[in-house]
Amino acid sequence: MSWQTYVDDHLMCDVDGHNLTSAAIIGHDGSVWAQSSSFPKFKPEEINAIFKDFDEPGSLATTGLYLGGTKYMVIQGDPGAVIRGKKGTGGITVKKTGQAMVFGIYDEPMTPGQCNMVVERLGDYLVDQGL
């Protein structure tokens, strides 16, 4: 299965009639493995800051999580494994795997819990596969 299939079929899937607005799988080195067409164009330093927060949980708490120039307020997550952010009626979930980070961005009517479920389910699967 191609990485793009994981994004198209497993991240951008329908959840109770709702979908993520964008999603991606990005390697620890910042390389894009696959992304939805709507995923924001990001800066390398944004990915580096997100990756750093997995190693140093809380490092984004004071500055916020930036992706594509959009700032998300960092909310509770799973230190070292999951980062969650909120902006207005939407937000972001990032799950770290052994080799990549799985990103999901949502807006209403999708809920934070639905976004978390979709992103973390795929991330857990990739971890189980050694990826």
Side-chain angles (χ1 to χ4, degrees):
M1 184 180 316
S2 77
W3 290 113
Q4 193 60 50
T5 302
Y6 283 110
V7 170
D8 296 342
D9 295 350
H10 298 281
L11 291 175
M12 298 301 290
C13 63
D14 183 282
V15 179
D16 298 329
H18 311 302
N19 301 80
L20 293 173
T21 55
S22 61
I25 302 172
I26 299 174
H28 288 182
D29 63 358
S31 63
V32 175
W33 292 10
Q35 64 184 8
S36 63
S37 60
S38 56
F39 194 75
K41 181 152 179 56
F42 58 84
K43 298 176 183 167
E45 56 268 23
E46 293 173 330
I47 298 301
N48 292 341
I50 293 166
F51 192 72
K52 178 183 175 191
D53 195 76
F54 285 115
D55 292 332
E56 300 173 26
S59 65
L60 292 176
T62 55
T63 61
L65 182 159
Y66 284 86
L67 188 69
T70 299
K71 180 180 180 180
Y72 297 89
M73 179 181 68
V74 176
I75 56 177
Q76 61 82 18
D78 185 1
V82 179
I83 300 169
R84 297 184 184 105
K86 185 88 173 121
K87 177 175 174 49
T89 60
I92 187 169
T93 300
V94 185
K95 167 75 176 177
K96 181 184 175 197
T97 72
Q99 299 177 26
M101 294 176 284
V102 180
F103 288 74
I105 300 173
Y106 71 94
D107 207 346
E108 285 187 341
M110 185 172 240
T111 67
Q114 290 170 323
C115 177
N116 296 342
M117 179 191 69
V118 169
V119 171
E120 293 175 42
R121 181 175 54 198
L122 178 60
D124 289 342
Y125 170 78
L126 295 177
V127 167
D128 290 345
Q129 300 303 307
L131 300 168

